Amino acid sequence: MGSALTTIGLPVALGIIMFGLGLSLTLKDFTAVAKSPKAVAVALVCQLVVLPAVCLGLIVLFALPPVLAVGMMLLAASPGGTTAALFSHLFRGDVALNISLTAINSVIAAFTLPLITNLAFAIFLPGDDSLGIQLTKALEVFAIVLGPVVLGMLVRRWKPAFADRMDKPVRIASAVILAIVIIGAIVSNVQILLANIGTLALITVLFCVISLSVGYLVPRLFRVTPRQAVASSFEIGIHNATLAIVIAQTVLNSVELSLPAAVYGVLMFPVALAFGFLIRRAVPAPAAASA
């Protein structure tokens, strides 16, 4: 039962989530680079360059076992999660920027995720030709990440009224299915999860806190507006753990590789909420004035 939930349920849940993202997107959402070039450029550099470097540093600091180290890098390479826009909305961020960043990040991640993951395999598990993401597996990643999004966008283009009607049901369905699948995955792998949670809890919480902080502070250093910095913070700090778990378990056939993302996926929500209240209190006037 647990195995079926993982091998069938997780990809289905991710597909519905990414399809729901596509239903909310149009081609105009990809033009945010022209509207807010600095905010987008800074966020993308943080996401694609700074965070993998930070993650690598944490792995070395905590001396993680090789398989868990690769799992952490897979998590770091995953794009922002679809719930980033929800957190941004709750804490007065620029939700339009979130949607655009998620759209752009999802496209870029289809290429960068296999590259970063393969680099992690080369560093931590060298010489094992049975692992890693070869061309066929890279195409699987590409299809998993972009296929449902493109389908959702096509539905929105052809049937905008239908897309609007389906937005809420798809969100609810994806949340329910994802909850069932995660519970099933935890139950079926409870022993291996419990054996590693002590090793992974602190590093995943630290990674989440650093990701959120980098996503907020670096844009502010470059004089990006507070609302855009809040959006950037949640986009960078809330990784798509579901995507990382699906790739680990279905593309790479490894439960161990998915453990960092599984632990992170549970712990990131309270951390993100606490961080949201912190930055909301730190910059109430500019955020409220811009909202």
Side-chain angles (χ1 to χ4, degrees):
M1 177 67 175
S3 177
L5 278 171
T6 301
T7 56
I8 300 172
L10 261 176
V12 168
L14 179 66
I16 293 173
I17 291 169
M18 301 304 278
F19 176 72
L21 171 63
L23 285 179
S24 67
L25 294 176
T26 66
L27 289 177
K28 290 181 181 179
D29 293 314
F30 290 86
T31 63
V33 178
K35 295 177 184 176
S36 309
K38 187 198 292 185
V40 172
V42 171
L44 288 178
V45 169
C46 289
Q47 179 92 42
L48 300 172
V49 180
V50 177
L51 285 196
V54 166
C55 186
L56 190 59
L58 287 173
I59 288 166
V60 173
L61 180 65
F62 281 79
L64 279 190
V67 174
L68 297 182
V70 175
M72 278 297 299
M73 291 302 293
L74 173 60
L75 173 65
S78 298
T82 53
T83 51
L86 172 61
F87 277 91
S88 187
H89 173 70
L90 287 174
F91 297 105
R92 301 177 183 147
D94 186 339
V95 178
L97 179 62
N98 275 107
I99 293 170
S100 299
L101 281 172
T102 300
I104 295 166
N105 256 331
S106 296
V107 173
I108 294 174
F111 301 94
T112 57
L113 194 150
L115 289 175
I116 292 172
T117 305
N118 276 346
L119 181 61
F121 274 114
I123 294 171
F124 298 109
L125 290 167
D128 193 334
D129 296 332
S130 65
L131 295 171
I133 299 179
Q134 291 83 33
L135 178 60
T136 54
K137 291 183 178 180
L139 292 175
E140 280 185 62
V141 172
F142 191 86
I144 288 169
V145 174
L146 290 185
V149 176
V150 171
L151 184 60
M153 289 181 68
L154 288 173
V155 170
R156 177 158 197 87
R157 181 175 178 82
W158 293 330
K159 301 284 184 181
F162 174 77
D164 289 336
R165 288 197 307 273
M166 290 301 294
D167 182 62
K168 189 174 181 180
V170 167
R171 286 175 188 270
I172 293 171
S174 62
V176 171
I177 294 171
L178 184 58
I180 293 170
V181 168
I182 287 176
I183 291 169
I186 289 172
V187 169
S188 61
N189 299 294
V190 67
Q191 290 183 336
I192 191 170
L193 188 61
L194 288 174
N196 290 277
I197 194 165
T199 308
L200 291 169
L202 183 55
I203 189 173
T204 50
V205 167
L206 266 178
F207 181 59
C208 187
V209 170
I210 294 172
S211 299
L212 289 162
S213 302
V214 165
Y216 180 77
L217 294 174
V218 174
R220 292 299 289 141
L221 284 175
F222 284 88
R223 301 191 182 281
V224 169
T225 68
R227 287 188 70 223
Q228 290 178 331
V230 170
S232 171
S233 174
F234 289 116
E235 190 65 36
I236 291 165
I238 299 178
H239 294 268
N240 193 336
T242 312
L243 175 62
I245 294 169
V246 168
I247 291 171
Q249 296 196 13
T250 63
V251 178
L252 298 171
N253 301 312
S254 172
V255 172
E256 289 85 354
L257 280 176
S258 71
L259 291 175
V263 174
Y264 177 93
V266 173
L267 298 178
M268 71 176 178
F269 292 109
V271 173
L273 275 173
F275 187 85
F277 282 111
L278 179 66
I279 60 174
R280 188 173 184 175
R281 291 182 65 182
V283 285
S290 303

